[in-house]
Amino acid sequence: MTIQESGTARPAGRPRSEKAEKAIIEATLDLIAEGMGVSELSIEAIAAKAGVGKTTIYRRWSNKEDLVVDALSTLKAPLPPLAGTSVRDDLVSLLDAMRQESGEARSRCVMNIAMGEADRYPRLMERFMKRAVEPRRRAMREVIERGIATGELRADLDVDMGMAIISGAMLWHTKWGPAGDLPADLPSRVVDVALSGMAP
Amino acid sequence: MTIQESGTARPAGRPRSEKAEKAIIEATLDLIAEGMGVSELSIEAIAAKAGVGKTTIYRRWSNKEDLVVDALSTLKAPLPPLAGTSVRDDLVSLLDAMRQESGEARSRCVMNIAMGEADRYPRLMERFMKRAVEPRRRAMREVIERGIATGELRADLDVDMGMAIISGAMLWHTKWGPAGDLPADLPSRVVDVALSGMAP
Amino acid sequence: MTIQESGTARPAGRPRSEKAEKAIIEATLDLIAEGMGVSELSIEAIAAKAGVGKTTIYRRWSNKEDLVVDALSTLKAPLPPLAGTSVRDDLVSLLDAMRQESGEARSRCVMNIAMGEADRYPRLMERFMKRAVEPRRRAMREVIERGIATGELRADLDVDMGMAIISGAMLWHTKWGPAGDLPADLPSRVVDVALSGMAP
Amino acid sequence: MTIQESGTARPAGRPRSEKAEKAIIEATLDLIAEGMGVSELSIEAIAAKAGVGKTTIYRRWSNKEDLVVDALSTLKAPLPPLAGTSVRDDLVSLLDAMRQESGEARSRCVMNIAMGEADRYPRLMERFMKRAVEPRRRAMREVIERGIATGELRADLDVDMGMAIISGAMLWHTKWGPAGDLPADLPSRVVDVALSGMAP
DNA sequence: CAGTAACCGAGACGGTACGTCCCGTCTTCAC
DNA sequence: GTGAAGACGGGACGTACCGTCTCGGTTACTG
């Protein structure tokens, strides 16, 4: 009649501190938000900022990439609820979530890394894509496919092309549009032009 | 009695080796093309790859940014000639130039830097934008404005929005579209959808 | 009505394991005998060698010095009985005890610590001197003073000088004499030369 | 008709800084004199005190022992000139040199290391013995052997025993005699007792 | 004989120093 | 004057232990 029969027995010794773990993640995000790239990020700086020994970091993540993936994936806001009333409304909702995220330093740094360091840290990207980007892409894809099915969108529309035009327009404004925060009406304007076209 | 009497007096001593200069630029571009970001790029690595002493580099460029700007600006392909027959044709020409560049590792790295390290190296970006990006944006802007004037495009079209939709769609395909090189008909398909819209 | 009424009441809870205590002392001596100095000696190594948690050590000794003093003081052989027949015989007995001790690794390490780390660990030395060295010095001093009183030694002999010459000669042989164990006849030879002098 | 034909051609590149080398040695000796043993001595501390990068140390000495040997062997005072008038005078000269050295912190640390860390750093000791200790021992051995030859010392005197008694007595006083500096007349008193013996 | 308090091991904690690597600068000789 | 070689001070790396702490579980006396 053993006392401890649960599936995974707690390992011996002092358990790992959740507080330290959070402090490390926070420090990592702060440093990235301050404009550091993955390669400039130093474990030593993270440890110092988190008030933690280097060992405590290496005990949890064996390399910088693993830590960065974990840190970034705690960051992505949850997907907005989609009203489902019309394709236009849903697309505006999705873009507005993007717009809001782009206003926060922390989320902006995610974009920087996603776009600028993809080639250099392929494993990072692969994992980050899976955890953070893929769900958003899937959501938009479903909206567009639904629009085609209901006849709200052209029957011959290439779904990828639709995603490219809508997401790409937001992306372009984020990086290269007029300086400053994105205007609140940008999402609806993007969707309107994308849906009805540039030609008269 | 002087031997050298041309207008701009040659400075005394051994002249700088053009060969070394080219080797340095080449090595820099190679390393960037191999996936290195600006911050990972090291003068030491460039010198080693170029078969040159570190002094030889620092004598010519006082810091890494200057060298990178010079290196990148040797790279950008000249703008394609625009037929001017129609807005559609000109836009397709511009996008096709983007498509071709995106197939070369060296040009792709330019995009990475432009998108990922902009925040960290503002002086680099400023100069790089001026030399390499601005001409392309101006060209597209002119095409769109001309289209509005001739009535080929909607009179109420926001020019920035037009650029965002068209450039953004290409950009999106480059970074996040189906893997592999961009298909040759992508530019025309992007322009067609952008012009006539996604709605039926 | 209490069961336990002896003078010092046993504290509540599980009593400390004597086995662990002995294992710790043994491990400490072993490590010192293997050539470790006090500063190289690590609690972690002692704990590992003793098969004991580090806590178990720190619960008993608050610092390394205390542990080392305790360990070393379990070590010193008892003083040899002195026949008292003559100064010469007693001195030879004392030196022979030194010789025998110097043959054991554990005792030799005591000398090393006494001579090499005295300056660095003054509290250790103070306590170690009191427990282990002082009795031996007192014994030799008494023999010499008795010799002066009985006329076996020169009346004008400086007692410290006598101790220095006799102990110092043994010491010198231990550290810097011909390699290997000290020869069994060394004590008597030292005493003979010391008593009658080097001059003819 | 080469210009540089000397035996060992100067290697290319910037030559090593003698200043840095001296600063490192000085810092090492200072730290040892402050009571640090070899094992407590840290390269990082030496580098900081010397105002030098760690690389600069590791470029010259591949490990701590090599550095310590070099540092210590710059320290030993030159042997005193021996008058040669009599064995007694020469022995007093040698012991007086010992006495003077024992008054300096830096030299005292040499003794500590020589006696206390010998077992732990055998390679260090071997090299240190050769460079610093051996010459002194040889000098004393020669004085004693000469004394035996001239009849100033007993013909049957064991030379090692003579060295042991005389050096050992000084050694004993240094480590365990009355506290404070050794009195100036100690060498002559040691020699007198050693030569004529303790017995009346 | 159940409670309970000090013990035990294991192992995570914040640190320090290690020896290595590479940075960008500097100093030298050869050309 | 330029070029290569390479030493310089500096800083981050990832590892190994340090001495402290915090766990779950054990043990032996106590009520």
Side-chain angles (χ1 to χ4, degrees):
Chain A
M1 196 169 170
T2 53
I3 293 175
Q4 170 89 33
E5 294 220 328
S6 65
T8 56
R10 189 141 121 21
R14 176 176 176 175
R16 296 193 177 167
S17 153
E18 284 187 43
K19 209 180 85 183
E21 193 138 343
K22 279 182 183 167
I24 293 166
I25 297 278
E26 281 299 301
T28 305
L29 293 174
D30 282 355
L31 288 173
I32 294 181
E34 285 167 14
M36 276 191 168
V38 176
S39 49
E40 279 168 304
L41 203 59
S42 88
I43 297 286
E44 218 144 77
I46 295 172
K49 183 155 200 134
V52 142
K54 280 195 289 180
T55 343
T56 305
I57 297 180
Y58 284 112
R59 200 173 285 121
R60 292 167 163 74
W61 298 276
S62 61
N63 57 63
K64 204 157 51 175
E65 288 191 34
D66 288 0
L67 168 55
V68 171
V69 173
D70 271 16
L72 292 184
S73 55
T74 66
L75 202 62
K76 270 290 178 184
L79 285 170
L82 299 181
T85 49
S86 71
V87 166
R88 186 188 177 284
D89 292 347
D90 286 354
L91 289 176
V92 170
S93 295
L94 288 170
L95 293 199
D96 205 52
M98 281 177 64
R99 183 187 66 82
Q100 282 172 38
E101 283 182 10
S102 79
E104 304 164 26
R106 287 190 164 186
S107 291
R108 204 159 41 218
C109 78
V110 172
M111 278 309 300
N112 284 344
I113 288 176
M115 308 215 53
E117 316 215 43
D119 296 353
R120 268 170 284 156
Y121 299 96
R123 286 184 33 251
L124 188 160
M125 281 314 298
E126 187 190 332
R127 298 173 56 183
F128 176 66
M129 281 288 180
K130 216 166 209 161
R131 289 209 208 176
V133 177
E134 206 56 59
R136 281 161 176 72
R137 288 176 54 168
R138 188 161 35 244
M140 182 170 288
R141 178 175 294 273
E142 282 165 7
V143 170
I144 291 176
E145 286 173 343
R146 187 157 39 79
I148 294 173
T150 62
E152 287 173 273
L153 297 182
R154 287 162 43 183
D156 64 342
L157 179 66
D158 174 355
V159 178
D160 280 331
M161 184 62 69
M163 294 175 68
I165 282 184
I166 292 182
S167 303
M170 283 301 286
L171 184 60
W172 187 95
H173 272 104
T174 306
K175 300 294 296 186
W176 290 328
D181 283 352
L182 300 181
D185 67 341
L186 184 63
S188 59
R189 285 164 44 218
V190 165
V191 172
D192 286 339
V193 176
L195 290 185
S196 59
M198 293 162 64
Chain B
M1 198 171 146
T2 52
I3 293 176
Q4 169 93 30
E5 294 219 327
S6 65
T8 55
R10 248 251 289 94
R14 173 176 175 178
R16 292 190 178 169
S17 150
E18 284 187 42
K19 212 180 80 181
E21 193 136 344
K22 280 182 182 168
I24 293 167
I25 296 280
E26 282 299 302
T28 306
L29 293 174
D30 281 355
L31 287 173
I32 295 181
E34 284 167 16
M36 275 193 169
V38 176
S39 50
E40 274 171 310
L41 200 61
S42 80
I43 297 290
E44 199 146 276
I46 295 172
K49 186 158 197 126
V52 142
K54 284 192 282 184
T55 337
T56 308
I57 297 179
Y58 282 109
R59 219 190 302 281
R60 290 168 161 78
W61 297 276
S62 61
N63 58 63
K64 198 158 58 175
E65 288 193 34
D66 288 359
L67 168 56
V68 171
V69 172
D70 270 17
L72 292 183
S73 57
T74 68
L75 203 63
K76 266 291 177 184
L79 285 170
L82 299 181
T85 51
S86 71
V87 165
R88 186 185 178 284
D89 292 347
D90 287 354
L91 289 176
V92 170
S93 295
L94 288 170
L95 294 199
D96 205 51
M98 281 178 66
R99 182 187 64 83
Q100 282 172 38
E101 283 182 9
S102 80
E104 306 164 27
R106 287 191 165 183
S107 291
R108 201 161 43 218
C109 78
V110 172
M111 278 308 301
N112 284 345
I113 289 177
M115 305 212 56
E117 317 215 44
D119 297 351
R120 267 171 285 155
Y121 298 95
R123 284 183 37 248
L124 189 159
M125 279 315 295
E126 186 190 334
R127 298 172 57 181
F128 175 68
M129 280 289 182
K130 219 168 209 164
R131 290 207 206 178
V133 177
E134 206 54 60
R136 282 164 176 71
R137 288 175 56 168
R138 188 160 37 242
M140 181 171 288
R141 178 174 295 273
E142 283 165 7
V143 170
I144 292 177
E145 286 172 342
R146 187 156 41 79
I148 294 173
T150 62
E152 286 172 276
L153 297 182
R154 286 162 43 182
D156 63 341
L157 178 66
D158 174 354
V159 179
D160 280 331
M161 184 61 70
M163 294 175 67
I165 282 184
I166 291 183
S167 303
M170 284 301 286
L171 182 60
W172 188 93
H173 272 104
T174 306
K175 301 292 295 185
W176 290 327
D181 285 350
L182 300 183
D185 66 341
L186 184 63
S188 60
R189 283 165 44 219
V190 165
V191 172
D192 286 340
V193 175
L195 290 186
S196 60
M198 295 163 62
Chain C
M1 195 172 150
T2 54
I3 294 177
Q4 170 91 29
E5 295 221 329
S6 66
T8 55
R10 246 268 273 103
R14 175 178 176 175
R16 293 189 179 168
S17 152
E18 284 189 42
K19 210 180 82 179
E21 192 137 345
K22 279 183 182 168
I24 294 166
I25 296 279
E26 282 300 301
T28 306
L29 293 174
D30 281 355
L31 287 173
I32 295 181
E34 284 167 15
M36 275 194 169
V38 176
S39 48
E40 273 172 309
L41 200 59
S42 81
I43 297 289
E44 199 144 276
I46 295 172
K49 186 159 196 124
V52 142
K54 284 192 285 184
T55 336
T56 308
I57 298 180
Y58 284 110
R59 198 173 287 121
R60 291 167 162 77
W61 297 277
S62 61
N63 58 62
K64 199 159 59 174
E65 288 192 35
D66 289 359
L67 168 56
V68 171
V69 171
D70 270 16
L72 292 183
S73 57
T74 67
L75 203 63
K76 266 292 178 183
L79 284 171
L82 299 181
T85 50
S86 71
V87 166
R88 187 187 177 284
D89 291 348
D90 286 355
L91 290 176
V92 170
S93 295
L94 287 170
L95 294 199
D96 205 51
M98 281 176 65
R99 182 186 65 82
Q100 282 172 39
E101 283 182 9
S102 79
E104 304 164 27
R106 287 191 165 186
S107 291
R108 202 160 45 217
C109 79
V110 173
M111 278 308 301
N112 284 345
I113 289 175
M115 306 211 56
E117 316 216 44
D119 297 351
R120 266 171 286 155
Y121 298 96
R123 284 183 36 249
L124 188 160
M125 280 315 297
E126 186 190 336
R127 298 173 55 181
F128 175 67
M129 280 288 183
K130 218 166 208 163
R131 291 208 207 177
V133 178
E134 204 56 59
R136 282 163 175 72
R137 288 175 56 167
R138 187 159 40 241
M140 181 171 288
R141 177 174 294 274
E142 282 165 8
V143 170
I144 292 176
E145 286 173 341
R146 186 155 42 78
I148 294 173
T150 63
E152 286 173 274
L153 297 181
R154 286 161 42 181
D156 64 342
L157 179 65
D158 174 356
V159 178
D160 280 333
M161 183 63 69
M163 294 175 66
I165 281 182
I166 290 182
S167 303
M170 283 302 286
L171 183 60
W172 187 93
H173 272 103
T174 305
K175 300 293 297 186
W176 290 329
D181 284 351
L182 300 183
D185 65 342
L186 184 64
S188 59
R189 284 163 45 216
V190 165
V191 173
D192 285 340
V193 176
L195 291 185
S196 60
M198 294 164 62
Chain D
M1 196 167 167
T2 54
I3 293 177
Q4 169 91 31
E5 296 220 327
S6 66
T8 55
R10 190 138 121 23
R14 176 175 176 176
R16 294 192 177 168
S17 152
E18 285 187 43
K19 209 179 85 182
E21 193 138 344
K22 279 182 183 167
I24 294 166
I25 297 279
E26 282 299 302
T28 306
L29 293 174
D30 282 356
L31 288 173
I32 295 181
E34 284 168 15
M36 277 193 169
V38 175
S39 48
E40 279 169 304
L41 203 59
S42 90
I43 297 285
E44 217 144 78
I46 295 172
K49 185 160 198 129
V52 142
K54 280 196 287 182
T55 342
T56 305
I57 297 180
Y58 283 111
R59 198 173 286 122
R60 293 168 162 75
W61 298 278
S62 59
N63 57 63
K64 202 156 54 175
E65 287 192 34
D66 288 0
L67 168 56
V68 171
V69 172
D70 270 16
L72 293 184
S73 58
T74 67
L75 202 64
K76 270 290 179 182
L79 286 170
L82 300 181
T85 50
S86 72
V87 166
R88 186 187 178 282
D89 292 347
D90 286 355
L91 290 176
V92 170
S93 295
L94 288 171
L95 294 199
D96 206 51
M98 283 177 63
R99 183 186 63 84
Q100 283 172 36
E101 282 183 10
S102 79
E104 305 163 27
R106 287 191 164 186
S107 291
R108 202 156 44 216
C109 79
V110 173
M111 278 309 299
N112 284 345
I113 289 176
M115 307 212 56
E117 315 215 42
D119 295 353
R120 267 172 285 156
Y121 299 95
R123 287 184 34 249
L124 188 160
M125 280 315 297
E126 187 189 332
R127 300 174 55 182
F128 176 66
M129 281 287 181
K130 218 168 207 163
R131 290 210 208 175
V133 177
E134 206 55 59
R136 282 163 174 72
R137 289 175 54 168
R138 188 160 37 244
M140 181 170 287
R141 178 174 294 274
E142 281 166 8
V143 169
I144 292 176
E145 286 174 341
R146 188 154 42 77
I148 295 174
T150 63
E152 286 173 274
L153 297 181
R154 285 162 43 181
D156 64 341
L157 177 66
D158 175 355
V159 178
D160 280 331
M161 184 61 69
M163 293 174 68
I165 282 184
I166 291 183
S167 302
M170 284 300 288
L171 183 60
W172 187 93
H173 272 103
T174 304
K175 300 294 295 185
W176 290 327
D181 285 351
L182 300 182
D185 66 340
L186 183 64
S188 59
R189 283 164 44 217
V190 165
V191 172
D192 285 340
V193 176
L195 290 185
S196 58
M198 293 162 64

